[in-house]
Amino acid sequence: MNFSQFVAILQARWKLSAALLGLVLLATAAFSLLSPKRYTATASVVVDVKPDPITGLVLGPVLNPSIMATQVDIIQSSRVATRVARNLKLNNNPLVREQWQEATGGAGDINDWLARNFLTQLEVRPSRESNVISIGFQAPDPAFAAALANAFVQAYIDTAVELRVDPAKQYSGFLTNAPKTPAMRWRRPRPA
């Protein structure tokens, strides 16, 4: 079949083609008008890749994808989502408490339930050529979507700082609580 035959078939069946086109347009318009509105708010965060403090080596572009993938996983973790729920204090909202009671029957922690629900509406996309990660949140209310996107950025920043500082605190605790041997005691030098 060539193009001229195809056009001849359409001309012979123009009423059927027009009815089919009208039906598709009508179904699309009905779906668009009847479906609930969804808004997506997007916030961006820059991942700062610092050189290794011990060796002084700057991580090259070869390791950058794994670093970005790790940061995306941290943003999508339940730890960050639970921190978002705690920071926004939605567990004090009576409407949220009622929804939680209906959904779980009061079983479990409300912040964990909120975190699971938040993660279903979250979209995290790393940039291909830079260290920027876009965090998008979808909700029926544009202000709520924006608040959640910003809350995820803040919770990610707080968690990333925590992940960097906690090992140092732990090592400091080991050194502070270590038993002192005679060789480890420091003595003030005697004046000459």
Side-chain angles (χ1 to χ4, degrees):
M1 175 177 8
N2 59 25
F3 185 70
S4 62
Q5 288 175 334
F6 180 70
V7 171
I9 291 171
L10 286 180
Q11 285 177 345
R13 308 272 188 221
W14 72 271
K15 290 180 182 178
L16 179 63
S17 300
L20 186 60
L21 177 66
L23 183 64
V24 168
L25 289 176
L26 184 64
T28 304
F31 177 77
S32 176
L33 292 174
L34 295 177
S35 64
K37 301 245 186 264
R38 302 290 293 172
Y39 298 95
T40 302
T42 305
S44 298
V45 65
V46 176
V47 177
D48 188 18
V49 181
K50 296 194 184 241
D52 185 8
I54 296 173
T55 62
L57 294 175
V58 178
L59 299 173
V62 175
L63 294 178
N64 193 24
S66 67
I67 291 171
M68 294 298 283
T70 302
Q71 300 308 310
V72 167
D73 288 343
I74 290 171
I75 294 169
Q76 293 175 333
S77 70
S78 61
R79 180 177 181 172
V80 171
T82 305
R83 182 178 287 233
V84 168
R86 269 189 266 121
N87 289 349
L88 293 177
K89 297 180 178 144
L90 292 174
N91 58 350
N92 297 334
N93 186 329
L95 181 62
V96 172
R97 280 206 163 277
E98 182 180 318
Q99 291 172 347
W100 170 66
Q101 284 286 343
E102 289 175 10
T104 65
D109 184 29
I110 187 169
N111 288 328
D112 292 338
W113 176 77
L114 284 167
R116 283 192 304 274
N117 287 336
F118 290 163
L119 289 174
T120 61
Q121 305 300 320
L122 183 70
E123 181 183 358
V124 181
R125 287 173 292 153
S127 176
R128 287 185 165 202
E129 301 296 326
S130 69
N131 290 344
V132 176
I133 297 177
S134 297
I135 300 172
F137 193 84
Q138 195 176 64
D141 180 29
F144 184 69
L148 261 294
N150 291 331
F152 264 96
V153 168
Q154 187 60 50
Y156 161 70
I157 291 169
D158 294 343
T159 303
V161 168
E162 231 176 55
L163 290 174
R164 286 183 186 249
V165 172
D166 280 351
K169 286 181 182 177
Q170 190 175 21
Y171 294 142
S172 173
F174 289 148
L175 295 176
T176 308
N177 298 329
K180 294 191 169 117
T181 61
M184 292 178 65
R185 290 191 184 125
W186 181 77
R187 295 181 184 181
R188 180 176 288 160
R190 295 183 180 168

